[in-house]
Amino acid sequence: MESLEFLLSGFETALTWQNLMYCFIGVTVGMLVGVLPGLGPSAGTAVLIPLTFAMEPMSAIVMLSGIYYGAMYGGTITSVLINTPGEASSVITCLDGHPMAKQGRAGTALGISAIGSFIGGTFAILGLVLVGPPLANMALKFGPPEFFALMLLGMTMVIGLIGKSIIKGMMAAVIGLILALVGLDPVTGIPRFAFGQPYLMDGFDFVVIAMGLFGLSEILISAEQNMKAEKPPKVKGLFPTRAEWSPALKSIGRGTGLGFLIGLIPGTNSVIPPILSYSMEKKIAKDPSRFGKGAIEGVAGPETANNSFCGGALIPLFTLGIPSSPTIAILLGAFIMHGLTPGPTLFKENPDFVWGVIASMFIGNFILLFMNLPMAGLWAKVTLIPFKLLFPIILMVLIAGTYTINNSLWDVGAMLVFGVMGYIFKKVDIPIAPIVLTFVLGALMENALMQSLTIFQGDFLALFRRPLSGTLLVLSIVILLISLVAGFRKKKDFLASDIDM
């Protein structure tokens, strides 16, 4: 009941005309980001962070959150109509969504996607309302050892779950940690890795790294592919047949639960829930051969899991201050830039802000539902914008936004370097998400570790003697060992098959 009262007060804040406007702008830009191939929520959020510098924290986070979950809706449209996923998590939708479009049922695929996304997103936000405050109260009992162990677990999950190679994942994570060490030592105040450059005394700006690794690298990759969109088919008949409602709603229910639970796990990303949902739907189907040929469950389940994941992923951010995906890490950076510290104290110290943002997500989901059902065909036509016109505009926004952070050309140069680095990493299949996640977690981990060692007078093993921190540290070691063994076996099998050939 207390959460309900806070949520109602949050609606009072979210329904002001300023916050409604920013919510509408956020979800509209998110839809645009999702529809346009080559961007995606991480790049779109990173590119637009500089626009929020002069805004109030509430309005800024409402808009950036809208971009995040709006992009999840937008990516579906191009996946179904022109078989081109607007962002990575919509790739799986192409398998059955586009065959439905070829059968003249594009409207049905988009309709069930919008309904499933709305249901999954709404129930996930309800989960945030119910689970968030109790979890935050429990987290208030955490000390520095527990926070260090929890963040180490999140970092281990990042290395183990992102990327095809555990070695490449570890390389990316180490690069992120090294970047986090640049600047002044938090304990001694001595410069580290600054090489006598005054610009590096404060370390790298998170926005500069995010805009380069996600924004600029995506533009370079997309420009290289010389993408051309086909003309989308007409959209008609937005709702399934009577016989399809039952299996579609069951898929939506399963996708909601699956996406929400995966969102709670640090180190995952929005690509995982749709893949697992599609696999689950295919395994439990009476006729698995329908999948890949236009099965409505192959669209409803993954799209619901995709949007349910968004709400679940916000719980570790709001309650523990730990990002569970690359886009959430960018949102964490936006929180910090606006003087807010996500974590267990956020619900106590800034209740108006927290509940206002949560309420705005309910409103944003309703706006997206109405923007998707009647306007899907219109959104698909956005893909007809020539990329040779679009990419220079995005590049100018990147450069101008980077310069306005500190009015410094040094930041622009650093963004360009990180952009080229991200491009090279993508070409050699090194994941860039662990770099951003470990960069954000690195500074937080260092502070928690130094505080823990101060408490235990330099005895690191004392962290293992505390029940919760010890359990989390052992779990991190086990996950890392399992990932290493699995990676070694995969490499061994590959070499064996190569020799047999």
Side-chain angles (χ1 to χ4, degrees), residues 427-487:
K427 296 294 287 184
V428 298
D429 205 23
I430 295 176
I432 60 173
I435 299 175
V436 175
L437 285 163
T438 53
F439 176 79
V440 173
L441 290 174
L444 301 174
M445 281 181 62
E446 184 180 14
N447 288 331
L449 178 60
M450 296 307 295
Q451 291 171 3
S452 302
L453 293 177
T454 301
I455 293 170
F456 299 131
Q457 297 180 343
D459 183 9
F460 180 79
L461 294 178
L463 275 72
F464 287 90
R465 291 195 285 269
R466 289 173 69 112
L468 183 56
S469 62
T471 302
L472 293 173
L473 288 172
V474 171
L475 187 59
S476 300
I477 295 170
V478 170
I479 291 172
L480 190 58
L481 289 174
I482 290 173
S483 301
L484 284 169
V485 171

Side-chain angles (χ1 to χ4, degrees), residues 62 78 84 210 280 348 482:
V62 164
T78 49
T84 304
M280 179 173 67
K348 297 291 184 182
I482 290 173

Side-chain angles (χ1 to χ4, degrees), residues 106-128:
T108 303
L110 292 174
I112 200 65
S113 296
I115 293 168
S117 297
F118 172 76
I119 293 173
T122 302
F123 272 91
I125 298 166
L126 281 172
L128 173 59

Side-chain angles (χ1 to χ4, degrees), residues 6 14 81 90 305 374:
F6 278 122
L81 297 183
S90 295

Side-chain angles (χ1 to χ4, degrees), residues 289-368:
S289 64
R290 294 186 303 109
F291 284 77
K293 301 175 183 177
I296 196 166
E297 302 98 307
V299 176
E303 282 301 316
T304 304
N306 183 11
N307 286 270
S308 178
F309 169 85
C310 295
L314 291 171
I315 292 179
L317 175 68
F318 276 65
T319 59
L320 302 171
I322 296 178
S324 55
S325 72
T327 313
I328 295 295
I330 294 170
L331 279 177
L332 174 59
F335 271 83
I336 295 170
M337 278 187 346
H338 287 280
L340 297 162
T341 305
T345 60
L346 191 64
F347 280 87
K348 297 291 184 182
E349 296 177 357
N350 302 98
D352 293 339
F353 168 81
V354 173
W355 292 104
V357 171
I358 293 173
S360 76
M361 292 177 186
F362 282 105
I363 298 168
N365 266 290
F366 275 100
I367 295 173
L368 284 166

